Amino acid sequence: MKILAFDTSNQPLTVSLAEDEQIKQIFTTNIARNHSIQLLPAIKSALASQKWQLQEIDRIVVAQGPGSFTGLRIGVTVAKVLADTLNTELVGVSSLAILASQISFNGLVVPLFDARNQNVFAGVYQEEKSIFPESHQPISNLFAFLQTQPGNILFMGDTTPFLDQIHDQFGDRASVLSPEDSLPEGESIIKLGIDATPTSHIANFNPNYLRKTQAELNWLAAHPGEDKPENYVFEV
């Protein structure tokens, strides 16, 4: 099985190729550019490096979220178009799980993304198993849960804005990876993508934002009591 996997959920861009479980090619950049411009050339270059044709791909794996709304829309849209055009399998994996699965740690692993205003997208993993649902929430709620759990804690992802709070809350229990040291790795998305079940309806495959977009919030403000996704989608 030939696999094409990519992650555009945050600033880093990763494109990976694998045949069965063997990694063939990984391209990663952390330069702040427009993924809509970078992604397709990166895919083309990766395929060319292995002399693969796009039509040979058996499964497409994409980071489904959470993360940047724009980045997720770009990645998921490209994945859907390719999967539909090529009539190949499409798999979505968690952007947070990608980070958690690439680290070996004796304790709790907490990948998080800064959602601004002291909010985060975060999950809690132990031996790569989720023990706290991925969610968008105040970081104080995440800290409150972690205070109930024994053992050491490793924070990774967008840790810089919360560094002082982490050390104040957890002291020597906490280890912290900088954003530069916790970039998504091409191996992890491949590993998760192999184990995941392909979507049965490509047309219904959407980003996992974990919160409403601003456009949805604006629509709901103008349509009180109509918090139904189908109403918003129909109007748009």
Side-chain angles (χ1 to χ4, degrees), residues 59-147:
R59 175 174 291 194
I60 293 172
V61 183
V62 64
Q64 194 174 3
S68 156
F69 285 166
T70 300
L72 291 174
R73 283 195 293 268
I74 291 167
V76 167
T77 299
V78 169
K80 290 175 68 172
V81 170
L82 289 177
D84 186 54
T85 302
L86 300 171
N87 191 29
T88 192
E89 295 177 343
L90 173 61
V91 169
V93 299
S94 161
S95 309
L96 293 168
I98 291 171
L99 295 189
S101 67
Q102 65 193 34
I103 193 89
S104 177
F105 183 75
N106 184 22
L108 305 180
V109 177
V110 183
L112 58 85
F113 303 140
D114 185 6
R116 300 182 182 180
N117 300 316
Q118 290 294 300
N119 295 310
V120 291
F121 298 109
V124 181
Y125 293 82
Q126 190 165 31
E127 297 179 350
E128 297 187 24
K129 295 181 180 179
S130 174
I131 64 169
F132 183 75
E134 294 180 356
S135 57
H136 169 261
Q137 61 184 302
I139 195 165
S140 57
N141 289 4
L142 174 65
F143 287 165
F145 171 78
L146 292 172
Q147 291 287 14

Coordinates of all heavy atoms in Angstrom, one line a residue, residues 59-147:
R59 N -3.7 5.3 -0.4 CA -4.4 5.9 0.8 C -3.8 7.3 1.0 O -2.6 7.5 0.9 CB -4.2 5.1 2.0 CG -4.7 5.7 3.3 CD -4.6 4.8 4.5 NE -5.6 3.7 4.4 CZ -5.9 2.9 5.4 NH1 -5.3 3.0 6.6 NH2 -6.7 1.9 5.2
I60 N -4.7 8.2 1.2 CA -4.3 9.6 1.6 C -4.7 9.8 3.0 O -5.8 9.6 3.5 CB -5.0 10.6 0.7 CG1 -4.5 10.5 -0.8 CG2 -4.8 12.0 1.2 CD1 -5.3 11.3 -1.8
V61 N -3.7 10.3 3.8 CA -3.9 10.6 5.2 C -3.6 12.1 5.4 O -2.7 12.7 4.9 CB -2.8 9.8 6.1 CG1 -3.1 10.1 7.5 CG2 -2.9 8.3 5.7
V62 N -4.6 12.7 6.1 CA -4.5 14.2 6.4 C -4.7 14.5 7.8 O -5.5 13.8 8.5 CB -5.5 15.0 5.5 CG1 -6.9 14.6 5.9 CG2 -5.2 16.5 5.6
A63 N -4.0 15.5 8.4 CA -4.2 16.0 9.7 C -5.6 16.7 9.7 O -5.7 17.7 9.1 CB -3.1 16.9 10.2
Q64 N -6.5 16.2 10.4 CA -7.9 16.7 10.4 C -8.2 17.8 11.4 O -9.2 18.4 11.3 CB -8.8 15.5 10.6 CG -10.3 15.7 10.2 CD -11.1 14.5 10.3 OE1 -10.6 13.4 10.7 NE2 -12.4 14.6 9.9
G65 N -7.3 18.0 12.3 CA -7.5 19.0 13.3 C -7.3 18.5 14.7 O -7.1 17.3 14.9
P66 N -7.4 19.4 15.7 CA -7.6 20.8 15.5 C -6.4 21.6 15.0 O -5.3 21.0 14.8 CB -7.9 21.2 17.0 CG -7.1 20.3 17.8 CD -7.1 19.0 17.1
G67 N -6.5 22.9 14.9 CA -5.4 23.7 14.5 C -5.9 25.0 13.8 O -7.1 25.5 14.1
S68 N -5.1 25.6 13.0 CA -5.5 26.8 12.3 C -6.7 26.5 11.3 O -6.7 25.5 10.5 CB -4.3 27.3 11.4 OG -4.7 28.0 10.3
F69 N -7.7 27.3 11.4 CA -8.9 27.1 10.6 C -8.5 27.1 9.1 O -8.9 26.2 8.3 CB -10.0 28.2 10.8 CG -10.7 28.0 12.1 CD1 -11.5 29.1 12.6 CD2 -10.7 26.8 12.8 CE1 -12.2 29.0 13.7 CE2 -11.4 26.7 14.0 CZ -12.2 27.8 14.4
T70 N -7.7 28.1 8.7 CA -7.3 28.2 7.3 C -6.4 27.0 6.9 O -6.6 26.4 5.8 CB -6.5 29.5 7.0 OG1 -7.3 30.6 7.4 CG2 -6.1 29.6 5.6
G71 N -5.5 26.6 7.7 CA -4.6 25.5 7.4 C -5.4 24.2 7.3 O -5.1 23.4 6.4
L72 N -6.3 24.0 8.2 CA -7.1 22.8 8.1 C -8.0 22.7 6.9 O -8.1 21.7 6.2 CB -8.0 22.7 9.4 CG -7.3 22.4 10.7 CD1 -8.3 22.5 11.8 CD2 -6.6 21.0 10.7
R73 N -8.6 23.8 6.5 CA -9.4 23.9 5.3 C -8.6 23.5 4.1 O -9.0 22.8 3.2 CB -10.1 25.2 5.1 CG -11.3 25.5 6.0 CD -12.1 26.7 5.6 NE -11.3 27.9 5.7 CZ -11.4 28.7 6.8 NH1 -12.1 28.3 7.9 NH2 -10.7 29.8 6.9
I74 N -7.4 24.1 4.0 CA -6.5 23.8 2.8 C -6.2 22.3 2.8 O -6.3 21.6 1.7 CB -5.2 24.6 2.9 CG1 -5.5 26.1 2.7 CG2 -4.2 24.1 1.9 CD1 -4.4 27.0 3.1
G75 N -5.7 21.7 3.9 CA -5.3 20.3 3.9 C -6.5 19.4 3.6 O -6.3 18.5 2.8
V76 N -7.6 19.6 4.3 CA -8.7 18.7 4.1 C -9.3 18.8 2.7 O -9.7 17.8 2.1 CB -9.8 19.0 5.2 CG1 -11.1 18.3 4.8 CG2 -9.3 18.5 6.5
T77 N -9.4 20.0 2.2 CA -9.9 20.2 0.8 C -9.0 19.5 -0.2 O -9.5 18.8 -1.1 CB -10.0 21.7 0.4 OG1 -10.9 22.4 1.4 CG2 -10.5 21.9 -1.0
V78 N -7.7 19.7 -0.1 CA -6.8 19.0 -1.1 C -6.9 17.5 -0.9 O -7.0 16.7 -1.9 CB -5.3 19.4 -0.8 CG1 -4.4 18.5 -1.6 CG2 -5.2 20.9 -1.2
A79 N -7.0 17.0 0.3 CA -7.1 15.5 0.6 C -8.4 15.0 0.0 O -8.4 13.9 -0.7 CB -7.1 15.3 2.1
K80 N -9.5 15.7 0.1 CA -10.8 15.3 -0.4 C -10.8 15.2 -1.9 O -11.3 14.3 -2.6 CB -11.9 16.1 0.1 CG -12.2 16.0 1.6 CD -13.3 17.0 2.1 CE -14.6 16.7 1.5 NZ -15.7 17.6 2.1
V81 N -10.3 16.3 -2.5 CA -10.2 16.4 -4.0 C -9.4 15.2 -4.6 O -9.8 14.5 -5.5 CB -9.7 17.7 -4.5 CG1 -9.4 17.7 -6.0 CG2 -10.7 18.8 -4.1
L82 N -8.2 15.0 -4.0 CA -7.3 13.9 -4.5 C -8.0 12.6 -4.3 O -8.0 11.7 -5.2 CB -6.0 14.0 -3.7 CG -5.1 15.2 -4.1 CD1 -3.8 15.1 -3.2 CD2 -4.7 15.2 -5.5
A83 N -8.5 12.3 -3.1 CA -9.1 11.0 -2.8 C -10.3 10.8 -3.7 O -10.5 9.6 -4.3 CB -9.6 10.9 -1.4
D84 N -11.1 11.8 -4.0 CA -12.3 11.6 -4.9 C -11.8 11.4 -6.3 O -12.3 10.5 -7.0 CB -13.2 12.8 -4.7 CG -14.5 12.7 -5.5 OD1 -15.2 11.7 -5.3 OD2 -14.8 13.5 -6.4
T85 N -10.9 12.2 -6.7 CA -10.4 12.1 -8.1 C -9.7 10.8 -8.4 O -9.9 10.2 -9.5 CB -9.4 13.3 -8.4 OG1 -10.1 14.5 -8.2 CG2 -9.0 13.2 -9.9
L86 N -8.9 10.3 -7.5 CA -8.1 9.1 -7.6 C -8.9 7.9 -7.2 O -8.4 6.8 -7.4 CB -6.8 9.2 -6.8 CG -5.9 10.3 -7.2 CD1 -4.8 10.4 -6.1 CD2 -5.3 10.2 -8.6
N87 N -10.1 8.1 -6.6 CA -10.9 7.0 -6.1 C -10.1 6.1 -5.1 O -10.0 4.9 -5.2 CB -11.4 6.1 -7.2 CG -12.5 5.1 -6.7 OD1 -13.2 5.4 -5.8 ND2 -12.6 4.0 -7.4
T88 N -9.4 6.8 -4.2 CA -8.6 6.1 -3.2 C -9.0 6.4 -1.8 O -9.9 7.2 -1.6 CB -7.1 6.6 -3.4 OG1 -6.2 5.8 -2.6 CG2 -7.0 8.1 -2.9
E89 N -8.5 5.7 -0.8 CA -8.9 5.8 0.6 C -8.5 7.1 1.2 O -7.4 7.7 0.8 CB -8.3 4.7 1.4 CG -8.8 3.3 1.0 CD -8.1 2.2 1.8 OE1 -7.0 2.4 2.4 OE2 -8.6 1.0 1.8
L90 N -9.4 7.6 2.0 CA -9.1 8.9 2.7 C -9.2 8.7 4.2 O -10.2 8.2 4.7 CB -10.1 10.0 2.3 CG -10.0 11.3 3.1 CD1 -8.6 12.0 2.9 CD2 -11.1 12.3 2.6
V91 N -8.1 9.1 4.9 CA -8.1 8.9 6.4 C -7.7 10.2 7.1 O -6.8 10.9 6.6 CB -7.0 7.9 6.8 CG1 -6.8 7.9 8.3 CG2 -7.4 6.5 6.3
G92 N -8.5 10.6 8.1 CA -8.1 11.8 8.9 C -7.6 11.4 10.3 O -8.1 10.4 10.9
V93 N -6.6 12.0 10.7 CA -6.0 11.7 12.0 C -5.9 13.1 12.8 O -5.8 14.1 12.3 CB -4.6 11.1 11.9 CG1 -4.8 9.7 11.2 CG2 -3.6 11.9 11.2
S94 N -5.8 12.9 14.1 CA -5.8 14.1 15.0 C -4.4 14.8 15.0 O -3.4 14.1 15.1 CB -6.1 13.7 16.4 OG -5.6 14.6 17.4
S95 N -4.4 16.1 14.8 CA -3.2 16.9 14.8 C -2.5 16.7 16.2 O -1.3 16.8 16.3 CB -3.5 18.3 14.5 OG -4.3 18.4 13.4
L96 N -3.3 16.7 17.3 CA -2.7 16.5 18.6 C -2.1 15.1 18.8 O -1.1 15.0 19.4 CB -3.8 16.8 19.7 CG -4.3 18.2 19.7 CD1 -5.5 18.3 20.6 CD2 -3.2 19.2 20.2
A97 N -2.8 14.1 18.3 CA -2.4 12.7 18.4 C -1.0 12.5 17.7 O -0.2 11.7 18.1 CB -3.4 11.8 17.9
I98 N -0.9 13.3 16.6 CA 0.4 13.2 15.8 C 1.5 13.5 16.7 O 2.6 12.9 16.8 CB 0.3 14.1 14.6 CG1 -0.7 13.5 13.5 CG2 1.7 14.2 13.9 CD1 -0.9 14.5 12.4
L99 N 1.4 14.6 17.4 CA 2.5 15.1 18.4 C 2.7 14.0 19.5 O 3.8 13.7 19.8 CB 2.1 16.4 19.0 CG 2.1 17.6 18.0 CD1 2.0 18.9 18.8 CD2 3.3 17.7 17.1
A100 N 1.6 13.6 20.1 CA 1.7 12.7 21.2 C 2.3 11.4 20.8 O 3.1 10.8 21.6 CB 0.3 12.5 21.8
S101 N 2.1 10.9 19.6 CA 2.6 9.6 19.2 C 4.1 9.6 18.8 O 4.6 8.5 18.7 CB 1.8 9.1 18.0 OG 2.0 9.9 16.9
Q102 N 4.7 10.8 18.7 CA 6.1 10.8 18.3 C 7.0 10.9 19.5 O 8.2 11.1 19.3 CB 6.3 12.0 17.3 CG 6.1 13.3 17.9 CD 6.0 14.4 16.8 OE1 5.5 14.2 15.7 NE2 6.6 15.6 17.1
I103 N 6.5 10.8 20.7 CA 7.4 11.0 21.8 C 7.2 9.8 22.8 O 6.1 9.3 23.0 CB 7.1 12.3 22.6 CG1 8.2 12.6 23.6 CG2 5.7 12.2 23.3 CD1 9.3 13.4 23.1
S104 N 8.3 9.3 23.4 CA 8.2 8.2 24.4 C 8.5 8.9 25.7 O 9.5 9.5 25.9 CB 9.3 7.1 24.1 OG 9.2 6.2 25.1
F105 N 7.5 8.8 26.6 CA 7.6 9.5 27.9 C 6.9 8.7 29.0 O 5.8 8.2 28.8 CB 7.0 10.9 27.8 CG 7.1 11.7 29.1 CD1 8.4 12.3 29.4 CD2 6.0 11.9 29.9 CE1 8.5 13.0 30.6 CE2 6.2 12.7 31.1 CZ 7.4 13.2 31.4
N106 N 7.6 8.5 30.1 CA 7.0 7.8 31.3 C 6.1 8.7 32.1 O 6.6 9.3 33.1 CB 8.1 7.2 32.1 CG 7.6 6.3 33.3 OD1 6.4 5.9 33.2 ND2 8.4 6.1 34.3
G107 N 4.9 8.9 31.6 CA 4.0 9.8 32.3 C 2.9 10.3 31.3 O 2.6 9.6 30.4
L108 N 2.4 11.5 31.6 CA 1.4 12.0 30.8 C 2.0 12.9 29.7 O 2.9 13.7 30.0 CB 0.4 12.8 31.6 CG -0.3 12.1 32.8 CD1 -1.2 13.1 33.5 CD2 -1.0 10.9 32.3
V109 N 1.5 12.8 28.5 CA 1.9 13.7 27.4 C 0.8 14.6 27.0 O -0.4 14.1 26.7 CB 2.3 12.8 26.1 CG1 2.7 13.7 25.0 CG2 3.5 11.9 26.5
V110 N 1.0 15.9 27.0 CA 0.0 16.9 26.8 C 0.4 17.8 25.6 O 1.1 18.7 25.7 CB -0.2 17.8 28.0 CG1 -1.3 18.8 27.8 CG2 -0.5 16.9 29.2
P111 N -0.1 17.4 24.4 CA 0.1 18.3 23.2 C -1.0 19.4 23.3 O -2.1 19.1 23.6 CB -0.2 17.3 22.0 CG -1.1 16.3 22.6 CD -0.8 16.1 24.0
L112 N -0.5 20.6 23.0 CA -1.5 21.7 23.0 C -1.2 22.7 21.9 O 0.0 22.9 21.5 CB -1.5 22.4 24.4 CG -0.3 22.9 25.0 CD1 0.0 24.4 24.5 CD2 -0.4 22.9 26.5
F113 N -2.2 23.4 21.4 CA -2.1 24.5 20.5 C -2.7 25.7 21.1 O -3.8 25.7 21.8 CB -2.8 24.2 19.2 CG -2.3 23.0 18.5 CD1 -3.2 22.1 17.9 CD2 -1.0 22.7 18.4 CE1 -2.8 21.0 17.2 CE2 -0.5 21.5 17.8 CZ -1.4 20.7 17.2
D114 N -2.1 26.9 21.0 CA -2.6 28.1 21.5 C -3.8 28.6 20.8 O -3.8 28.8 19.6 CB -1.5 29.2 21.4 CG -1.9 30.5 22.1 OD1 -3.0 30.6 22.7 OD2 -1.1 31.5 22.0
A115 N -5.0 28.7 21.5 CA -6.2 29.1 20.9 C -6.5 30.6 21.3 O -7.6 31.0 21.0 CB -7.4 28.2 21.2
R116 N -5.6 31.3 21.9 CA -5.7 32.7 22.3 C -6.6 32.9 23.5 O -7.5 32.1 23.8 CB -6.1 33.5 21.1 CG -5.1 33.5 19.9 CD -5.6 34.4 18.8 NE -4.7 34.3 17.7 CZ -4.8 35.0 16.5 NH1 -5.8 35.8 16.4 NH2 -3.9 34.9 15.6
N117 N -6.4 34.0 24.1 CA -7.2 34.4 25.3 C -7.2 33.4 26.4 O -8.3 33.1 27.0 CB -8.7 34.7 24.9 CG -8.7 35.8 23.8 OD1 -8.1 36.9 24.0 ND2 -9.5 35.6 22.8
Q118 N -6.0 32.7 26.6 CA -5.8 31.7 27.6 C -6.7 30.5 27.4 O -7.0 29.7 28.3 CB -6.2 32.3 29.0 CG -5.2 33.3 29.6 CD -3.8 32.7 29.8 OE1 -3.7 31.7 30.6 NE2 -2.8 33.1 29.1
N119 N -7.0 30.2 26.1 CA -7.6 29.0 25.7 C -6.6 28.1 24.9 O -5.7 28.7 24.3 CB -8.8 29.3 24.9 CG -9.9 30.0 25.6 OD1 -10.3 29.6 26.7 ND2 -10.4 31.1 25.1
V120 N -6.9 26.8 24.9 CA -6.0 25.9 24.2 C -6.9 24.8 23.5 O -8.0 24.5 23.9 CB -5.0 25.2 25.1 CG1 -4.0 26.2 25.6 CG2 -5.7 24.5 26.2
F121 N -6.3 24.3 22.4 CA -6.7 23.0 21.9 C -5.8 22.0 22.5 O -4.6 22.1 22.4 CB -6.6 22.9 20.4 CG -7.5 23.9 19.6 CD1 -6.9 25.0 19.0 CD2 -8.8 23.7 19.6 CE1 -7.6 25.9 18.3 CE2 -9.6 24.6 18.9 CZ -9.0 25.7 18.2
A122 N -6.3 21.0 23.2 CA -5.4 20.1 24.0 C -6.0 18.7 24.2 O -7.2 18.6 24.1 CB -5.0 20.7 25.3
G123 N -5.1 17.8 24.4 CA -5.5 16.4 24.8 C -4.5 15.9 25.8 O -3.4 16.5 26.0
V124 N -4.8 14.8 26.4 CA -3.8 14.2 27.4 C -3.7 12.7 27.0 O -4.7 12.0 26.9 CB -4.3 14.4 28.8 CG1 -3.3 13.7 29.8 CG2 -4.6 15.8 29.2
Y125 N -2.5 12.3 26.9 CA -2.2 10.9 26.5 C -1.3 10.2 27.5 O -0.4 10.8 28.1 CB -1.6 10.9 25.1 CG -2.4 11.4 24.0 CD1 -2.6 12.8 23.7 CD2 -3.1 10.5 23.2 CE1 -3.4 13.2 22.7 CE2 -4.0 10.9 22.2 CZ -4.1 12.3 21.9 OH -4.9 12.7 20.9
Q126 N -1.5 8.9 27.6 CA -0.7 8.1 28.4 C -0.4 6.8 27.6 O -1.4 6.1 27.2 CB -1.3 7.7 29.8 CG -0.3 7.1 30.7 CD -0.9 7.1 32.1 OE1 -2.1 7.0 32.4 NE2 0.0 7.1 33.1
E127 N 0.8 6.6 27.3 CA 1.2 5.5 26.4 C 0.4 5.5 25.1 O -0.1 4.5 24.6 CB 1.0 4.1 27.2 CG 1.9 4.0 28.4 CD 1.7 2.7 29.1 OE1 0.8 2.0 28.8 OE2 2.5 2.4 30.0
E128 N 0.3 6.7 24.6 CA -0.3 7.0 23.3 C -1.8 6.7 23.3 O -2.5 6.8 22.3 CB 0.3 6.1 22.1 CG 1.8 6.5 21.9 CD 2.4 5.8 20.7 OE1 1.6 5.5 19.8 OE2 3.6 5.6 20.6
K129 N -2.4 6.5 24.5 CA -3.9 6.4 24.6 C -4.4 7.6 25.2 O -3.9 8.2 26.2 CB -4.2 5.2 25.4 CG -3.8 3.8 24.8 CD -4.2 2.7 25.7 CE -3.8 1.3 25.0 NZ -4.2 0.2 25.8
S130 N -5.5 8.1 24.6 CA -6.2 9.4 25.1 C -6.9 9.1 26.5 O -7.7 8.1 26.6 CB -7.2 9.9 24.1 OG -7.9 11.0 24.6
I131 N -6.5 9.9 27.5 CA -7.2 9.8 28.8 C -8.0 11.0 29.1 O -8.6 11.1 30.2 CB -6.2 9.5 29.9 CG1 -5.3 10.6 30.1 CG2 -5.5 8.2 29.6 CD1 -4.4 10.5 31.4
F132 N -8.0 12.0 28.2 CA -8.8 13.2 28.4 C -9.2 13.7 27.0 O -8.3 13.9 26.1 CB -7.9 14.3 29.0 CG -8.6 15.6 29.3 CD1 -9.5 15.7 30.4 CD2 -8.3 16.7 28.6 CE1 -10.1 16.9 30.7 CE2 -8.9 17.9 28.8 CZ -9.8 18.0 29.9
P133 N -10.5 13.8 26.7 CA -10.9 14.1 25.3 C -10.3 15.4 24.8 O -10.2 16.4 25.5 CB -12.4 14.3 25.5 CG -12.8 13.6 26.7 CD -11.6 13.7 27.6
E134 N -9.8 15.3 23.5 CA -9.3 16.5 22.9 C -10.4 17.6 22.8 O -11.6 17.3 22.5 CB -8.9 16.2 21.4 CG -7.7 15.3 21.4 CD -7.3 15.0 20.0 OE1 -7.9 15.4 19.0 OE2 -6.2 14.3 19.8
S135 N -10.1 18.8 23.1 CA -11.1 19.8 23.2 C -10.5 21.2 23.1 O -9.3 21.4 23.2 CB -11.9 19.7 24.6 OG -11.0 19.8 25.7
H136 N -11.4 22.2 23.0 CA -11.0 23.6 23.0 C -11.6 24.1 24.4 O -12.8 24.0 24.6 CB -11.7 24.4 21.9 CG -11.6 25.9 22.0 ND1 -12.7 26.6 22.5 CD2 -10.6 26.7 21.7 CE1 -12.3 27.9 22.5 NE2 -11.1 28.0 22.0
Q137 N -10.7 24.6 25.2 CA -11.1 25.0 26.6 C -10.1 26.0 27.2 O -9.0 26.1 26.7 CB -11.2 23.7 27.4 CG -9.9 23.0 27.6 CD -10.0 21.7 28.3 OE1 -10.4 21.7 29.5 NE2 -9.6 20.6 27.7
P138 N -10.5 26.6 28.3 CA -9.5 27.4 29.0 C -8.4 26.5 29.5 O -8.6 25.4 30.0 CB -10.4 28.0 30.2 CG -11.8 27.9 29.7 CD -11.9 26.7 28.9
I139 N -7.2 27.1 29.5 CA -6.1 26.2 30.0 C -6.2 25.9 31.5 O -5.7 24.9 31.9 CB -4.7 26.9 29.7 CG1 -3.6 25.9 29.8 CG2 -4.5 28.2 30.5 CD1 -2.3 26.3 29.2
S140 N -6.9 26.7 32.2 CA -7.2 26.4 33.6 C -7.9 25.1 33.8 O -7.7 24.4 34.8 CB -7.9 27.6 34.3 OG -9.2 27.8 33.6
N141 N -8.8 24.8 32.9 CA -9.6 23.5 33.0 C -8.6 22.4 32.7 O -8.7 21.3 33.4 CB -10.7 23.5 31.9 CG -11.8 24.4 32.3 OD1 -11.8 25.1 33.2 ND2 -12.9 24.4 31.4
L142 N -7.7 22.5 31.8 CA -6.7 21.5 31.5 C -5.9 21.3 32.7 O -5.6 20.1 33.1 CB -5.9 21.9 30.3 CG -4.7 20.9 30.0 CD1 -5.2 19.6 29.5 CD2 -3.9 21.6 28.9
F143 N -5.4 22.4 33.3 CA -4.5 22.3 34.5 C -5.3 21.6 35.6 O -4.7 20.8 36.4 CB -4.1 23.6 34.9 CG -3.0 24.3 34.0 CD1 -2.7 25.6 34.1 CD2 -2.3 23.5 33.1 CE1 -1.8 26.2 33.3 CE2 -1.4 24.0 32.3 CZ -1.1 25.4 32.4
A144 N -6.6 21.9 35.8 CA -7.4 21.3 36.9 C -7.4 19.8 36.7 O -7.3 19.0 37.7 CB -8.8 21.9 36.9
F145 N -7.6 19.3 35.5 CA -7.6 17.9 35.3 C -6.3 17.3 35.6 O -6.2 16.2 36.3 CB -8.0 17.5 33.9 CG -7.8 16.1 33.5 CD1 -8.8 15.1 33.9 CD2 -6.7 15.7 32.8 CE1 -8.6 13.8 33.6 CE2 -6.5 14.3 32.5 CZ -7.5 13.4 32.9
L146 N -5.2 17.9 35.1 CA -3.9 17.3 35.3 C -3.5 17.3 36.8 O -2.7 16.4 37.2 CB -2.9 18.2 34.5 CG -3.0 18.1 33.0 CD1 -2.0 19.1 32.4 CD2 -2.6 16.7 32.5
Q147 N -4.0 18.2 37.6 CA -3.7 18.2 39.0 C -4.3 17.0 39.7 O -3.9 16.6 40.8 CB -4.3 19.5 39.7 CG -3.6 20.7 39.3 CD -2.2 20.9 39.9 OE1 -1.6 19.9 40.5 NE2 -1.6 22.1 39.9

